[in-house]
Amino acid sequence: MEALTSLKVPFQAFSSSSRPRSWITPIQMNVSTRNPFFSFSVRAQVESTEGSATIAATSAESVVEALKVKEWEVGMFQDEVAASQGIRIRRRPPTGPPLHYVGPFEFRLQNEGNTPRNILEEIVWNKDVEVSQLKERKPLISLKKDLQNAPPRRDFIGALRAANERTGLPGLIAEVKKASPSRGVLRENFDPVEIAQAYERGGAACLSVLTDKKYFKGSFENLELIRKAGVKCPLLCKEFIIDAWQLYYARIKGADAVLLIAAVLPDLDIKYMIKICKILGLAALVEVHDEKEFDRVLGIEGIELIGINNRNLETFEVDIANTKKLLEGERGKIVRERNIIMVGESGLFTPNDIAYVQEAGVKAVLVGESIVKQNDPGKGITSLFGKDISLS
Ligand SMILES: O=P(O)(O)OC[C@@H](O)[C@@H](O)c1c[nH]c2ccccc12
C-alpha cells in the first residue's frame, strides 16, 4: 500500500466533459501485477469547483464512474442551493445522471429538457463555456502575475458621489453599447473610443463598457482601448460574471468596477466575489430586479453600490416604476441608513424619467440606448438631463 497525495489529475482526463471542473487526488493506491491478472484499488479525494468528496473504487472503470457520479451529485447540490434562494438561472445545461447512478428518482425528472429557459440562462450557459476555455489558456496563476501591470485603479463610487454633488442630479454611468439581444444593433458606425470621449466631454461621471461579444457585440479590446486612450472616467466592465477568474481579468484589462447580477449568483458567490473585488480595488455594482433579490443583497455585508434594473433580463420587459417600487418603505430606509448608492438602470430616455428615478431615491443612473443612439452622444447627455451637465 503506497500513499500518493501529490498527484493531481484533472477529472476532465477521464470524463467526456470538456470542462475541467474537478480534480482527483489519490489518497491510497494499491497496484498488484501478480500474474495472471493486473488489479488495483484506489481511494481518492475528489475536489471540484463546487466541493469535495472521497471515493473508493477497485477498477479503472469504477473510478471513472464514481467520479462522474460525484461530480453530478455536487452539481445537483449547487443548483439546489441556488434554487432555494429563488435563483431560476441554472449555471450549466443539465447533463443527466451518470449511467449507473443510484439515487433519488426525482433527480432524473429534474434533468429533463436541456434547452435554456430564457435569454439570461442562454447567455450564462455560453459564458460558462467561454470562461472555461479562457481559463485554460490563461490560468489564474498567470493572471495574478499580470496584475502588476494593470493600470492604476480609479474611484468609481467616489466619481458618482462627486457628480451627484456637483450637478444635483444623479451621477451618470454612460454605456458604450453597440447592440443588445432585446434591441438589436443600436449604432452602426460604432467607434468605442470616440463614443467614450464624447460621453466624458458631455459630463458622464463613469462609463460602462459592454465586453460580451456574442450578445452585445462588445469586447475586452474596447475596454482596453478606452482605458489606453486616456479617458479619465472610471470604467465599469459590463460582463456576465460567473467565476472569480473574470474579476482578475477585468482588472487587468483596465476596469475600475464590475457588475454582479443577483439573478445569476447565489449569496455565497456574491460574498466571495465582493471580497475579491475589495482585494483587487474594484467597485462592485450588484444588480437586482425584484424585491427578493434586493433583500438577499441587503443581507450581504460590505455592499456599497446596488443597481435596480428596470429591465427584466428573462423577458426583456422594461418598466421604470420598478426602481420606485423597490425603494419604497423599509428597503429605501435601509439603503439611506447604510449610505448605499442606488443606481437606476435601463429604459431612461427623458429628463422626466431622470427626475422620476431621482425622486425614488437613486443617486446614479446607468444609461445606454437613449444616448448611444444620438449622432453626438455628448449632446445626447444634455437632452437626457434637460440641461448641460458638462464641466466646461
Ligand atoms: O440601454 P438602456 O436601456 O439604457 O440600459 C442600459 C443598461 O442598464 C443595460 O445595458 C443593462 C443593465 N444591466 C445589464 C446586464 C447585462 C447587460 C446589460 C445590462
Side-chain angles (χ1 to χ4, degrees):
M1 213 45 103
E2 200 185 338
L4 285 174
T5 44
S6 58
L7 193 64
K8 280 209 169 196
V9 192
F11 178 30
Q12 185 200 8
F14 301 111
S15 79
S16 56
S17 153
S18 63
R19 288 174 249 133
R21 280 162 42 209
S22 317
W23 298 264
I24 163 172
T25 310
I27 299 167
Q28 273 182 343
M29 209 180 258
N30 184 19
V31 181
S32 155
T33 53
R34 236 179 300 137
N35 281 332
F37 298 114
F38 170 89
S39 75
F40 80 89
S41 66
V42 63
R43 240 164 53 75
Q45 182 73 14
V46 186
E47 291 168 48
S48 82
T49 43
E50 284 104 9
S52 73
T54 307
I55 56 155
T58 52
S59 75
E61 288 79 37
S62 56
V63 171
V64 173
E65 214 41 60
L67 280 167
K68 278 187 189 163
V69 168
K70 263 306 156 222
E71 185 176 59
W72 185 74
E73 281 179 349
V74 169
M76 283 304 299
F77 176 66
Q78 259 254 319
D79 279 349
E80 273 179 49
V81 170
S84 75
Q85 293 168 13
I87 295 173
R88 292 175 298 273
I89 303 301
R90 295 163 297 173
R91 190 66 61 88
R92 316 181 168 87
T95 50
L99 209 54
H100 303 300
Y101 184 72
V102 250
F105 180 66
E106 62 266 32
F107 281 177
R108 287 164 198 248
L109 293 179
Q110 279 176 19
N111 272 327
E112 271 162 25
N114 61 353
T115 43
R117 293 188 194 124
N118 54 57
I119 182 72
L120 181 58
E121 191 163 83
E122 185 186 320
I123 295 174
V124 165
W125 289 5
N126 273 289
K127 197 53 75 182
D128 185 50
V129 175
E130 184 188 312
V131 171
S132 41
Q133 286 166 354
L134 282 169
K135 273 169 86 170
E136 262 171 62
R137 263 188 275 145
K138 245 190 177 310
L140 192 56
I141 301 179
S142 90
L143 269 196
K144 282 187 175 169
K145 284 193 196 121
D146 293 347
L147 271 181
Q148 300 156 354
N149 307 321
R153 46 198 181 197
R154 288 108 29 118
D155 183 0
F156 192 87
I157 297 179
L160 290 178
R161 285 194 197 280
N164 179 232
E165 276 158 29
R166 177 175 71 83
T167 62
L169 291 162
L172 172 65
I173 309 170
E175 189 153 275
V176 181
K177 180 186 198 180
K178 173 157 185 171
S180 74
S182 60
R183 298 293 212 215
V185 173
L186 296 167
R187 189 183 176 100
E188 282 296 346
N189 62 333
F190 188 83
D191 180 333
V193 172
E194 229 171 67
I195 295 167
Q197 286 167 338
Y199 282 158
E200 182 160 67
R201 278 196 306 274
C206 299
L207 306 185
S208 158
V209 183
L210 256 317
T211 52
D212 176 78
K213 255 205 182 84
K214 192 170 160 79
Y215 297 91
F216 291 85
K217 298 193 191 299
S219 68
F220 276 94
E221 201 192 0
N222 288 355
L223 184 72
E224 262 186 318
L225 283 172
I226 292 170
R227 185 77 212 239
K228 286 186 177 151
V231 172
K232 291 194 188 64
C233 293
L235 306 179
L236 169 74
C237 170
K238 197 66 166 328
E239 182 52 85
F240 294 84
I241 294 192
I242 49 167
D243 189 309
W245 179 92
Q246 294 166 282
L247 305 174
Y248 290 82
Y249 194 66
R251 174 76 190 93
I252 286 158
K253 298 288 179 184
D256 305 290
V258 289
L259 180 76
L260 302 177
I261 303 176
V264 170
L265 299 169
D267 298 2
L268 256 184
D269 284 6
I270 299 180
K271 281 185 197 162
Y272 173 58
M273 288 184 184
I274 295 268
K275 277 196 188 137
I276 297 186
C277 284
K278 295 232 153 105
I279 293 169
L280 295 176
L282 287 167
L285 170 59
V286 187
E287 178 177 300
V288 301
H289 175 69
D290 59 26
E291 288 93 339
K292 178 143 197 190
E293 289 171 7
F294 201 1
D295 290 342
R296 278 176 49 216
V297 169
L298 288 175
I300 297 173
E301 253 177 64
I303 293 196
E304 298 169 89
L305 191 61
I306 301 178
I308 297 179
N309 199 350
N310 297 315
R311 181 177 291 112
N312 179 329
L313 291 174
E314 294 177 32
T315 63
F316 292 150
E317 268 166 48
V318 184
D319 181 4
I320 65 167
N322 199 42
T323 296
K324 179 156 189 264
K325 187 175 82 181
L326 264 62
L327 280 169
E328 266 161 6
E330 193 58 25
R331 296 183 185 92
K333 206 172 133 224
I334 295 174
V335 160
R336 286 190 296 277
E337 278 166 9
R338 296 193 201 160
N339 204 14
I340 293 172
I341 294 222
M342 293 302 305
V343 186
E345 300 181 0
S346 308
L348 303 170
F349 287 86
T350 66
N352 276 345
D353 293 344
I354 299 292
Y356 177 81
V357 289
Q358 181 169 27
E359 181 64 22
V362 308
K363 295 257 187 301
V365 286
L366 172 52
V367 183
E369 179 175 346
S370 67
I371 47 178
V372 84
K373 271 185 158 176
Q374 308 304 316
N375 267 339
D376 178 344
K379 289 212 183 95
I381 294 177
T382 307
S383 31
L384 172 69
F385 283 92
K387 71 185 243 197
D388 184 352
I389 58 156
S390 67
L391 278 158
S392 51

